[in-house]
Amino acid sequence: MTLFEGIILGLVQGLAEFLPISSSGHLAILQYFFNIDGEKILSFAVLLHLGTLFSLFAVYYRDIWKLLLELGAVIRDVFNGKGLRINANETRKLGFMIIFATIPTGIIGILLNDFFSSLYNSLTAIAICLLITGTILWIAERLPQAGKDVGRMKYRDAILVGIFQSIAISPGISRSGATIVGGLFSGFNRDLAVKFAFLISIPSILGAVILEAPDAFAEGMDSALIVPVITGVLVAAISGFVAIKTMIRVVTGKKLYVFSFYTWAVGALVLAYTLFL
């Protein structure tokens, strides 16, 4: 992998992780056309995920800090015999909703891991998933919104968003797009839909890093890759920060459908390539 390829992969990871265009799908496509063996850069892929985590912390550090403080308060309440008190305040309830949303993602991801992994080797499957992403983005913008805030969230809402996130394990299905759409389907107001989508991605990304890290770093890293890897991770973190800020404006401005045209175009081009070339 060259420095240029590292920069491009980092840029795509950062932008596509948070813009609703599927980072996994784009990286798989780029690896195919760059003729990069995914197994040889598995450690790089893990580090790219860490780069996107830095982006999330940079944008949502206040919310994350409040959630961590509230976690400590929950532990104190439990030891003092007060119980979980899930509805004690909005931050605590948001934290529990994040946990509930993560459960179906974890279960489905573990049970269907081999199936999802097999899709990475099929450009046709990736192309179809990109077309699906564009379609759900288009539909979501045309649904009536109930304007739910955290106080009106239900367990079933969090679980539904978690199911949407689990579907996004498929390469070509955007994680951010699917979870934001899940929130809009559940009637969340737009600010909550985008914030909840990004916050629940933290345990999902972190979990993927923890599961993949042992295999990724078992054989170490070629010293020739150090500069491309470090550069790519920095690019992923910076571009991810820009992408999150962009998505907040796009979702609140009701412009989510704009990305439908892009994912339809890329999906159609890749599908045409697989069918006719």
Side-chain angles (χ1 to χ4, degrees), residues 103-114:
I103 292 172
T105 303
I107 293 174
I108 294 174
I110 292 171
L111 292 178
L112 299 179
N113 179 62
D114 291 341

Side-chain angles (χ1 to χ4, degrees), residues 16-23 105 129 132-138 140 143 157-170 172-186 188 193-194 196-198 200-201 247 251 256 259 263:
E17 180 68 40
F18 302 115
L19 298 180
I21 57 177
S22 177
S23 62
T105 303
C129 287
I132 293 172
T133 292
T135 302
I136 63 175
L137 293 175
W138 182 270
L143 292 174
D157 297 330
I159 292 172
L160 176 63
V161 177
I163 292 173
F164 268 81
Q165 181 172 240
S166 65
I167 295 172
I169 300 174
S170 303
I173 301 292
S174 165
R175 185 207 311 273
S176 64
T179 49
I180 289 171
V181 168
L184 295 176
F185 278 175
S186 298
F188 295 176
V194 67
F196 190 69
F198 287 141
I200 68 170
S201 72
M247 278 301 293
V251 175
L256 195 59
F259 292 99
T263 52

Side-chain angles (χ1 to χ4, degrees), residues 36-194:
I36 298 174
D37 185 349
E39 292 297 322
K40 293 183 178 180
I41 61 166
L42 185 57
S43 58
F44 180 44
V46 172
L47 291 173
L48 285 181
H49 280 110
L50 286 177
T52 55
L53 276 177
F54 293 148
S55 304
L56 284 164
F57 289 135
V59 176
Y60 288 107
Y61 68 92
R62 291 188 181 89
D63 295 282
I64 294 169
W65 180 243
K66 289 180 181 178
L67 287 166
L68 290 174
L69 290 177
E70 198 58 38
L71 174 60
V74 170
I75 295 173
R76 286 196 303 272
D77 283 347
V78 170
F79 274 104
N80 291 331
K82 297 180 180 179
L84 296 175
R85 300 176 63 230
I86 293 175
N87 296 310
N89 56 64
E90 286 198 352
T91 300
R92 182 174 300 196
K93 183 172 182 179
L94 179 62
F96 277 101
M97 292 299 107
I98 291 172
I99 293 172
F100 277 97
T102 303
I103 292 172
T105 303
I107 293 174
I108 294 174
I110 292 171
L111 292 178
L112 299 179
N113 179 62
D114 291 341
F115 169 73
F116 289 128
S117 296
S118 68
L119 297 180
Y120 282 82
N121 298 318
S122 171
L123 283 181
T124 301
I126 294 171
I128 292 172
C129 287
L130 284 168
L131 295 174
I132 293 172
T133 292
T135 302
I136 63 175
L137 293 175
W138 182 270
I139 293 173
E141 285 288 27
R142 281 151 181 77
L143 292 174
Q145 304 301 313
K148 288 182 182 177
D149 56 15
V150 175
R152 296 169 58 195
M153 287 180 69
K154 306 294 184 184
Y155 297 122
R156 63 174 178 270
D157 297 330
I159 292 172
L160 176 63
V161 177
I163 292 173
F164 268 81
Q165 181 172 240
S166 65
I167 295 172
I169 300 174
S170 303
I173 301 292
S174 165
R175 185 207 311 273
S176 64
T179 49
I180 289 171
V181 168
L184 295 176
F185 278 175
S186 298
F188 295 176
N189 65 53
R190 290 177 176 272
D191 288 330
L192 177 58
V194 67

Side-chain angles (χ1 to χ4, degrees), residues 20-40:
I21 57 177
S22 177
S23 62
S24 57
H26 278 69
L27 288 175
I29 293 170
L30 285 175
Q31 287 173 15
Y32 175 85
F33 286 107
F34 282 166
N35 196 29
I36 298 174
D37 185 349
E39 292 297 322
K40 293 183 178 180

